[in-house]
Amino acid sequence: MHLFEHIAELRSRLIRVLAVLVAGLVLGLFAADPVFNYLMSIEPASRLTDLHAFSLWDGIGMYMKIAFVVALLITIPFAFYQIWAFVSPGLRPRERRAALGYVPLAFAMLAAGLAFSWFVIFPLAFEFTTSVSRRLGLVETYGIVQYFSFMFNIIVPISLLFELPILIMFLTRIGILNPSRLRRMRRYAWFGLIFVGVLVTPPDFISDLLVALPLILLYEFSVFMAEAVHRRMRRRQEIQRPDEG
């Protein structure tokens, strides 16, 4: 294929991803009401007496936030599949089968990120912020947009960061990254992950550490998996290389 043919195919696949995102948003709007009722029936929202609307747009904004998260859950695995379909013609049959395995892995890592952020980080951040308000003697009056923005600003970035090992393994597989380059990038990666940890958690050292440390371990796990992928690729190349002499 010529360069323009590759660009045309990439454009086509991007349009498909956008179409799935739009369809996910529509589905998310229908699912917003039951999802909202469920989220309000469990901890920590169930402990709140009322959530208030401070604007006529607050209810619509809440529905759109929920719809976006639903669309994201649907779109990410599909987007990984489209990436695989775009590069698969340049792979051998064995490499195609291996690359296709990244699609369910991407969904599994996204689910793990959702579980970690929902069951660990969000309750921790909520407890810390509400305890500070009570200590200061403030009346806790929460708006619906503020509550869900606080929730999604924690859950969405952390869930997406759990895709890091899959992305690094895939980029290593197609030759864009290698373990030595990842090791050279370690200090910058650590700094970026610590910055994310500080950004999405309450301003105290314990909360920052509880988020930043798993993210750093996630990066190191990504490097380890990239090394395993790289070793397998080199071993396969040596086996396939014709004997000299």
Side-chain angles (χ1 to χ4, degrees), residues 1-13 86:
M1 292 178 66
H2 297 292
L3 175 62
F4 288 108
E5 291 175 321
H6 282 295
I7 293 173
E9 184 186 358
L10 180 62
R11 174 178 172 273
S12 173
R13 297 197 179 279
F86 179 71

Side-chain angles (χ1 to χ4, degrees), residues 63-161:
Y63 267 67
M64 291 306 298
K65 288 178 187 297
I66 294 176
F68 174 74
V69 173
V70 171
L72 207 59
L73 291 174
I74 296 171
T75 305
I76 286 178
F78 181 77
F80 269 93
Y81 172 78
Q82 290 299 318
I83 294 171
W84 171 82
F86 179 71
V87 302
S88 64
L91 302 176
R92 298 181 179 89
R94 182 184 298 176
E95 292 173 333
R96 291 180 188 176
R97 289 193 297 270
L100 189 59
Y102 290 125
V103 176
L105 279 176
F107 187 79
M109 291 301 293
L110 182 65
L114 280 169
F116 176 71
S117 56
W118 175 257
F119 292 109
V120 178
I121 302 305
F122 175 61
L124 176 71
F126 184 85
E127 289 297 331
F128 177 82
T129 52
T130 54
S131 65
V132 170
S133 297
R134 294 189 192 106
R135 212 164 21 224
L136 294 173
L138 302 177
V139 177
E140 296 179 71
T141 302
Y142 297 109
I144 187 172
V145 171
Q146 287 71 26
Y147 176 80
F148 279 92
S149 296
F150 180 76
M151 177 197 299
F152 292 140
N153 287 344
I154 292 174
I155 291 175
V156 172
I158 294 177
S159 300
L160 293 179
L161 282 171

Side-chain angles (χ1 to χ4, degrees), residues 131-208:
S131 65
V132 170
S133 297
R134 294 189 192 106
R135 212 164 21 224
L136 294 173
L138 302 177
V139 177
E140 296 179 71
T141 302
Y142 297 109
I144 187 172
V145 171
Q146 287 71 26
Y147 176 80
F148 279 92
S149 296
F150 180 76
M151 177 197 299
F152 292 140
N153 287 344
I154 292 174
I155 291 175
V156 172
I158 294 177
S159 300
L160 293 179
L161 282 171
F162 266 68
E163 298 292 325
L164 186 63
I166 308 300
L167 180 61
I168 288 179
M169 288 168 62
F170 182 77
L171 293 177
T172 302
R173 167 76 68 173
I174 64 178
I176 295 177
L177 289 178
N178 58 63
S180 60
R181 184 176 298 173
L182 290 169
R183 285 192 290 269
R184 289 197 301 269
M185 293 167 52
R186 177 176 280 129
R187 68 179 69 179
Y188 306 107
W190 281 33
F191 175 80
L193 294 172
I194 291 171
F195 177 76
V196 170
V198 172
L199 194 65
V200 302
T201 54
D204 70 285
F205 176 74
I206 300 299
S207 299
D208 297 342

Side-chain angles (χ1 to χ4, degrees), residues 52-64 143-146:
H52 301 275
F54 299 122
S55 165
L56 294 174
W57 295 104
D58 283 359
I60 296 174
M62 180 273 299
Y63 267 67
M64 291 306 298
I144 187 172
V145 171
Q146 287 71 26

